[in-house]
Structure formats: C-alpha cells, structure tokens
Amino acid sequence: MPHLKKVQQWVLDSILEKVALHQSAHGFRRGRSIVTNAKPHVGAEIVINLDFKDFFPSISYPRVKGLFRALGYSEAVATLLGLLCTEPEVEEVTLDGKTYFVATTERHLPQGAPSSPAITNVLCRRLDRRLSQMAAELGFAYTRYADDLTFSGSVDAHRKVCNILKRTERIVAHEGLTIHPQKPEFCENLNSRK
C-alpha cells in the first residue's frame, strides 16, 4: 500500500492542510498538540471528557466525497478523491484456487491513512463551532483533540454539567456522530471547594 499512502499524503499536503479549521481543533495540526489542547482547561474546577464511538469507521465514503464537493471539486474529482481516502473492511476468500478480497463493509475512513485525521478535522469544523458556542454560552471552555472532546468550567458552572452533556449529545448526533456511551469522564477539582 505504499503507493496509496503516497497519494493520500499528497491529498493531505496539497488539499486538506490548506483548509482553515476551527480554533478549538488541536489534533493533527501543525503548531498544535495535546499540550495546546489541555492549556485552556488547566486549573479549571470542572473538567468533562467525552469521545466518539467508532470515529473513523463512522465517516462514510459519501460524506468524504461530499467534503471534496464542498471544497469546490467536480463530481468526478470528488468521487476519485473520496475513493482514494476511504476503504471497506475486506475478507480474503479463496475460490477455485484464486484469492479474492471481498468487501464486508461500506467504504469509510481507515485508521492509519495519512489523510484520515485531516479529513475528520475538516468535517468537524461545524461541530467545533457549535460546541464552542454552546460551551461559551454556558460558561465553559471547549477543545477537541481528534475524537476527544473536553469541556471545563468553574464551580459556578457545576449546575450546568447535565445541560452540557445533553446538548453535546444532541449536537454530535445531528453531525452524524455518536458519543461513546461508556467513556464520559467528569472531574471536579476538590481543592476549589476548600
């Protein structure tokens, strides 16, 4: 697959890295890191961490193709770019002495492709804008590192935690993603209550 990865790297360098992202996105960006993602939350009295369920597999080929159409590419070029950046799960099958690779799922973003993280960042621009705005309205900070969402606030915002969780779940669902049901984490700085 080195040739495919080389093409995906070209898509990343020539197309995806030129698209402006929301300021809340910190994963897989030049000049951003896990440290810049954490900085807005340092010293916060309340920190909420959520992540997406099956993040890359939930980004389908039609959605990736639609992204390239939205970036101004023709139907034919968007189709080609979408196909280059997605793949199905495959199963190796031998029939009459010949080996075939049979798709067992629809095409989606693969883990490990150079283009996949950047595609998710571009696709999450509206999500980041909506969550950032909602968090600010409720007195929270918001950042996203790949599929990890972090909200933080003061003790005064404590009573709004349920509101954050419910509204986040609705916004995320509207954007075609799912919050991992077993991974919400809620931390409270107990020192702030002394």
Side-chain angles (χ1 to χ4, degrees):
M1 303 283 264
H3 294 299
L4 178 58
K5 283 203 173 199
K6 193 172 183 181
V7 170
Q8 291 167 339
Q9 186 65 48
W10 180 89
V11 171
L12 172 64
D13 296 339
S14 303
I15 300 172
L16 299 169
E17 285 195 343
K18 296 180 181 191
V19 178
L21 301 176
H22 192 274
Q23 67 208 25
S24 298
H26 291 265
F28 310 104
R29 292 181 71 177
R30 291 174 204 248
R32 302 283 179 105
S33 67
I34 196 78
V35 173
T36 63
N37 184 70
K39 226 175 211 180
H41 310 291
V42 171
E45 294 157 336
I46 296 169
V47 179
I48 304 165
N49 289 307
L50 306 164
D51 72 0
F52 297 123
K53 181 179 179 188
D54 301 325
F55 189 39
F56 284 164
S58 67
I59 307 294
S60 65
Y61 160 75
R63 200 161 176 193
V64 175
K65 176 185 168 185
L67 169 117
F68 289 113
R69 288 288 290 143
L71 292 176
Y73 291 92
S74 69
E75 180 75 17
V77 173
T79 298
L80 180 61
L81 291 170
L83 290 171
L84 288 168
C85 293
T86 60
E87 66 182 30
E89 301 297 323
V90 295
E91 188 175 308
E92 190 175 326
V93 176
T94 304
L95 181 64
D96 296 331
K98 289 187 178 181
T99 300
Y100 299 93
F101 295 91
V102 180
T104 59
T105 65
E106 298 293 323
R107 298 183 76 84
H108 60 271
L109 284 183
Q111 294 271 143
S115 52
S116 290
I119 288 171
T120 62
N121 275 342
V122 175
L123 284 171
C124 285
R125 290 180 302 173
R126 185 174 69 178
L127 172 80
D128 289 334
R129 186 182 73 243
R130 292 175 72 188
L131 290 177
S132 182
Q133 182 179 355
M134 179 266 298
E137 287 170 7
L138 296 172
F140 281 78
Y142 162 75
T143 60
R144 181 180 58 81
Y145 190 91
D147 67 340
D148 294 316
L149 312 176
T150 305
F151 299 90
S152 64
S154 66
V155 166
D156 297 338
H158 188 272
R159 63 190 185 333
K160 298 177 185 172
V161 168
C162 286
N163 197 353
I164 282 275
L165 294 172
K166 287 178 184 174
R167 288 178 66 181
T168 298
E169 192 170 344
R170 278 197 304 269
I171 290 169
V172 166
H174 187 260
E175 295 294 331
L177 298 165
T178 306
I179 295 290
H180 197 293
Q182 297 175 340
K183 294 213 181 162
E185 295 178 16
F186 171 67
C187 302
E188 195 170 354
N189 184 347
L190 298 177
N191 293 329
S192 66
R193 296 219 164 186
K194 291 181 181 176

